[in-house]
């Protein structure tokens, strides 16, 4: 249902823009013209892209909570799309699309977006009631899983029952308990999988029509991460796209260069603005340089616009409301413009657009000693954005680093152009201040 709502939103946007464009060309324009054979057809496609991008950016149709939220987000998306095409028309100095099409679309998409948001909300409720989880694991696993399911899982689900193997009498039967709670998915921890009596009973539940997942596989499918508590060396011996699929690696690098080249133009323009801003409220060097660990554990210098005081200690963990950040630096961070000089790293091949975030040398040394398999993340080129960044907030401790590593392992296992595109989309959504799928 939620997927249908997304498809309907995008197809509906295209139908409105193209329908109004064709009507204008045939019945309003003087003289009439063939819309599909005119230059305006390409700009109509651009307008569709702007509207769909704006809708995704503000969180439609998935993240609307209630009618007021749906109305507000729909208006924001429509105004952003119409404003974007209007700016392009001013820049080009010509009427790329008639006002009838631009503003008529902005009016008509709002009720359509609201309907799609309602459809998605209904689908979300059905998904939550459809995926009912019975967990066979320790109490600590149950508590962690319940917390994870509350915070924007990839697939909604509810924990409706559990069984702790160690607390049960030898040979204890939990099938009746499980059946009474009517689960749709039975999840087994590694400890439960090692108990032959548990496996025998779960087989009976499977024969009764229930899905069965290991805890690690459930985390992958429903939460988009790989739990460290469940990992063994063999579990991490999977193919990594950038390492084992040469074509993917070449395409990924080509995309990075294709983005970096026009990005240099944007960097030059923004650099001039930042120079002026630094004179007013952020006196000191314009660029911040720091050595980070890249692919194959090779160090490189990363570039950003400086956001902290020049005398600030740069080796401490960065927090969301860091007191070392200057007022102008806070503006750069809020708009994500401080990351723009990394275009240079992207062009030189130190970074990719998508990948694990590069860490400082001394943190890598500490975390490698503390966290099993940490070095695995250095088999691929680090990224400007990544799965861990869009799924998890600021990392300000070893515990946060361990949490983010679970998402990075998921990225390594599923690395591909499709997942990269999802990450870029969610990054754009986070720039608009919206989180989620």
């Amino acid at each position: 249902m939620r997927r249908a709502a997304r498809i309907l939103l995008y197809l509906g946007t295209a139908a409105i823009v193209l329908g109004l464009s064709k009507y204008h060309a045939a019945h309003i324009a003087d003289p009439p013209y063939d819309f599909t054979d005119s230059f305006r057809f390409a700009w109509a496609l651009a307008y569709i892209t702007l509207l769909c991008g704006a809708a995704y950016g503000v969180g439609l149709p998935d993240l609307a909570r209630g009618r007021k939220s749906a109305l507000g987000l729909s208006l924001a998306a429509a105004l952003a799309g119409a404003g974007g095409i209007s700016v392009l028309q001013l820049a080009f100095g010509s009427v790329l699309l008639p006002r009838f099409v631009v503003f008529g679309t902005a009016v008509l998409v709002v009720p359509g977006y609201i309907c799609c948001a309602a459809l998605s909300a209904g689908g979300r409720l059905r998904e939550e009631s459809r995926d009912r989880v019975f967990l066979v694991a320790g109490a600590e696993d149950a508590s962690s899983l319940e917390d994870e399911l509350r915070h924007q899982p990839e697939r909604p689900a509810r924990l409706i029952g559990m069984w702790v193997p160690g607390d049960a009498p030898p040979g204890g039967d939990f099938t009746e308990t499980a059946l009474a709670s009517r689960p749709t998915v039975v999840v087994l921890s590694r400890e439960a999988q090692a108990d032959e009596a548990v496996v025998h009973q779960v087989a009976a539940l499977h024969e009764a029509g229930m899905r069965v997942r290991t805890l690690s596989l459930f985390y992958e499918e429903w939460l988009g991460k790989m739990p460290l508590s469940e990992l063994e060396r063999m579990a991490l011996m999977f193919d990594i796209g950038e390492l084992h699929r040469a074509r993917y690696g070449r395409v990924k690098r080509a995309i990075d260069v294709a983005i970096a080249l026009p990005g240099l133009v944007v960097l030059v323009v923004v650099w001039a603005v930042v120079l002026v801003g630094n004179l007013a409220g952020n006196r000191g060097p314009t660029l911040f340089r720091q050595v980070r660990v890249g692919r194959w554990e090779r160090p490189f210098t990363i570039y950003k616009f400086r956001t902290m005081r020049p005398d600030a200690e740069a080796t401490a963990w960065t927090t969301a409301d860091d007191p070392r950040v200057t007022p102008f630096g806070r503006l750069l961070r809020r708009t994500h413009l401080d990351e723009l000089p990394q275009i240079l790293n992207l062009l030189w091949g130190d970074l990719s657009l998508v990948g694990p975030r590069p860490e400082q040398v001394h943190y890598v040394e500490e975390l490698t000693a503390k966290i099993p398999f940490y070095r695995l993340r250095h088999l691929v080129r680090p990224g400007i954005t990544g799965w861990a960044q869009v799924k998890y907030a600021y990392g300000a401790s070893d515990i946060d680093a361990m949490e983010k590593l679970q998402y990075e392992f998921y990225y390594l296992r599923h690395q591909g152009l499709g997942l990269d595109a999802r990450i870029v989309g969610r990054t754009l959504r986070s720039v608009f201040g919206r989180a989620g799928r």
Side-chain angles (χ1 to χ4, degrees):
M1 190 70 75
R2 299 174 75 189
R3 181 177 296 176
R6 287 192 287 270
I7 293 172
L8 187 60
L9 184 145
Y10 300 138
L11 291 180
T13 301
I16 290 171
V17 173
L18 296 176
L20 288 180
S21 297
K22 201 159 183 65
Y23 182 85
H24 178 274
H27 302 289
I28 298 178
D30 187 18
Y33 62 92
D34 184 354
F35 163 67
T36 54
D37 197 35
S38 71
F39 75 95
R40 285 179 171 164
F41 180 72
W43 285 106
L45 297 181
Y47 189 26
I48 292 167
T49 303
L50 282 172
L51 284 166
C52 291
Y56 183 88
V58 300
L60 289 171
D62 302 311
L63 302 184
R65 297 292 185 266
R67 293 178 183 176
K68 286 185 178 179
S69 174
L71 175 60
L73 296 179
S74 299
L75 287 170
L79 290 174
I85 199 68
S86 298
V87 168
L88 287 175
Q89 296 196 139
L90 288 172
F92 280 87
S94 62
V95 180
L96 307 175
L97 287 176
R99 283 179 292 179
F100 173 80
V101 174
V102 173
F103 297 113
T105 297
V107 171
L108 292 177
V109 295
V110 171
Y113 287 177
I114 293 173
C115 291
C116 290
L119 184 64
S120 179
R124 182 169 56 248
L125 292 174
R126 275 187 283 276
E127 285 178 1
E128 288 174 353
S129 61
R130 184 182 65 204
D131 287 342
R132 297 161 52 82
V133 180
F134 187 89
L135 179 65
V136 185
E140 188 175 335
D141 286 322
S143 177
S144 298
L145 183 59
E146 203 160 23
D147 287 340
E148 295 279 6
L149 289 173
R150 288 196 198 102
H151 295 94
Q152 296 173 345
E154 292 300 292
R155 294 169 58 179
R158 283 193 302 132
L159 182 63
I160 48 85
M162 69 169 295
W163 180 272
V164 181
D167 294 346
D173 193 327
F174 63 83
T175 53
E176 290 186 11
T177 304
L179 289 169
S181 57
R182 295 183 294 108
T184 58
V185 186
V186 179
V187 179
L188 304 178
S189 68
R190 192 168 56 184
E191 177 191 359
Q193 295 168 56
D195 189 323
E196 198 169 318
V198 168
V199 173
H200 179 74
Q201 294 174 61
V202 169
L205 293 174
H206 184 257
E207 290 171 5
M210 296 178 195
R211 286 176 291 175
V212 177
R213 295 289 188 275
T214 63
L215 186 58
S216 59
L217 189 56
F218 182 84
Y219 264 68
E220 278 195 66
E221 291 183 29
W222 271 262
L223 301 170
K225 63 192 293 188
M226 295 178 68
L228 289 178
S229 62
E230 290 285 304
L231 294 183
E232 294 177 321
R233 179 68 68 181
M234 283 302 298
L236 291 171
M237 292 185 183
F238 46 72
D239 285 354
I240 298 173
E242 201 169 326
L243 191 64
H244 298 114
R245 298 198 302 276
R247 182 179 297 176
Y248 166 74
R250 289 194 296 267
V251 172
K252 193 173 196 291
R253 180 62 189 145
I255 292 172
D256 290 340
V257 173
I259 291 171
L261 290 175
L264 288 175
V265 178
V266 179
L267 176 60
V268 170
V269 174
V270 173
W271 201 314
V273 176
V274 172
L275 283 173
V276 175
N278 275 351
L279 290 175
N282 196 25
R283 292 184 178 275
T286 305
L287 282 182
F288 168 77
R289 299 173 176 86
Q290 191 175 70
V291 177
R292 298 286 179 96
V293 178
R295 192 180 187 189
W296 309 121
E297 299 187 1
R298 294 170 184 157
F300 71 95
T301 300
I302 196 171
Y303 298 95
K304 296 184 180 183
F305 286 128
R306 184 178 55 83
T307 59
M308 295 185 181
R309 302 187 309 271
D311 61 342
E313 174 59 49
T315 57
W317 286 105
T318 303
T319 58
D321 296 312
D322 204 307
R324 298 169 294 173
V325 179
T326 66
F328 183 67
R330 193 162 287 112
L331 174 64
L332 291 176
R333 288 193 174 198
R334 192 176 298 120
T335 57
H336 300 276
L337 291 176
D338 62 312
E339 309 278 356
L340 200 55
Q342 291 172 64
I343 288 290
L344 299 173
N345 295 116
L346 187 65
L347 186 62
W348 295 334
D350 300 325
L351 291 176
S352 182
L353 182 63
V354 177
R357 193 73 181 128
E359 296 291 357
Q360 299 177 49
V361 176
H362 67 284
Y363 285 140
V364 169
E365 292 172 353
E366 290 177 15
L367 295 171
T368 299
K370 293 178 182 178
I371 302 176
F373 326 125
Y374 186 80
R375 298 176 69 176
L376 193 67
R377 72 195 295 277
H378 295 123
L379 293 176
V380 302
R381 193 176 276 111
I384 294 176
T385 186
W387 188 240
Q389 287 95 292
V390 298
K391 291 290 291 183
Y392 195 72
Y394 256 88
S397 67
D398 292 353
I399 295 174
D400 288 333
M402 190 173 296
E403 185 70 23
K404 294 181 79 169
L405 186 62
Q406 297 173 72
Y407 291 108
E408 290 173 346
F409 281 162
Y410 175 89
Y411 175 73
L412 294 179
R413 183 180 180 93
H414 298 277
Q415 192 180 42
L417 294 177
L419 181 56
D420 288 345
R422 285 173 63 194
I423 291 168
V424 171
R426 294 199 190 184
T427 302
L428 294 175
R429 178 173 281 184
S430 70
V431 170
F432 283 96
R434 306 295 298 178
R437 299 182 67 194

